[in-house]
Amino acid sequence: PTGRAFVLGLAAHPSAQVFYAGFIAEGQVGVYRYNQAGDFHFVKSVFAGLGICWIRTNAAGNRIYTSNTLVNTISVLDSSDPLNPFKLQEFSLAGPVGPPMLPGQGTTQIALDGRGEYLYVVTQQAFDFMTPEANALHALRLGADGKIDAQTDRVTIPVSPSLPQGVIAK
């Protein structure tokens, strides 16, 4: 997007001609509509969480999930009206604790399972002050309303000094 530095996390709405982009430094999700010619038009942005890295929509298109690296959280937005999403929940992940006022791990990649029951999250040792145990895979159980009910599992991925990249769920 023009005039936006550090855009990460891109997701298309599954049924509307709407596209979402993560504005990392602002902690905002940008909302764009587009036409058949491929022209994008900025509509608005809404706060989700600092350091947005990845964005996913559910199959119904009524929920948006963002991974917020700088605060180690996952945000859930209501996108029942695709052009006017709003934040429903910000969920903190379990795991290592960092220095005061800093996260112990950085949320990055996310994937929804095919039934929409679980959200899988990869965290990384994103900064030098984080421990190798920050490299992990987390399983989050979703409720019928699409919000996160609980973190059900966390598995450390022993790859340091490398970082785990990507996650796929079926």
Side-chain angles (χ1 to χ4, degrees):
T2 305
R4 300 287 183 176
F6 307 112
V7 176
L8 280 180
L10 306 172
H13 189 277
S15 57
Q17 289 183 303
V18 176
F19 190 84
Y20 305 105
F23 303 153
I24 265 183
E26 301 165 46
Q28 305 263 339
V29 172
V31 180
Y32 293 82
R33 45 183 187 83
Y34 63 92
N35 60 28
Q36 296 294 69
D39 299 317
F40 286 82
H41 301 281
F42 178 75
V43 175
K44 66 188 295 183
S45 63
V46 295
F47 185 77
L50 294 176
I52 291 176
C53 196
W54 277 34
I55 300 173
R56 287 287 175 261
T57 61
N58 66 356
N62 64 349
R63 295 292 180 264
I64 300 170
Y65 301 92
T66 70
S67 65
N68 311 314
T69 303
L70 297 179
V71 289
N72 189 41
T73 64
I74 300 296
S75 291
V76 181
L77 285 76
D78 183 314
S79 53
S80 298
D81 177 350
L83 292 174
N84 293 294
F86 59 91
K87 189 170 167 180
L88 290 173
Q89 179 184 30
E90 189 160 352
F91 185 89
S92 296
L93 294 177
V97 177
M101 306 299 292
L102 295 171
Q105 61 193 359
T107 59
T108 55
Q109 297 92 15
I110 56 178
L112 282 163
D113 76 326
R115 294 181 306 270
E117 296 173 352
Y118 285 89
L119 181 71
Y120 296 95
V121 182
V122 169
T123 57
Q124 296 178 343
Q125 183 182 1
F127 301 100
D128 289 340
F129 60 81
M130 295 177 177
T131 68
E133 290 76 28
N135 296 320
L137 176 65
H138 305 254
L140 308 178
R141 186 179 59 237
L142 303 177
D145 61 359
K147 294 192 326 190
I148 300 166
D149 277 346
Q151 180 167 337
T152 62
D153 207 357
R154 181 185 186 283
V155 178
T156 299
I157 304 171
V159 295
S160 187
S162 297
L163 301 176
Q165 295 290 331
V167 60
I168 297 172
K170 286 191 167 196

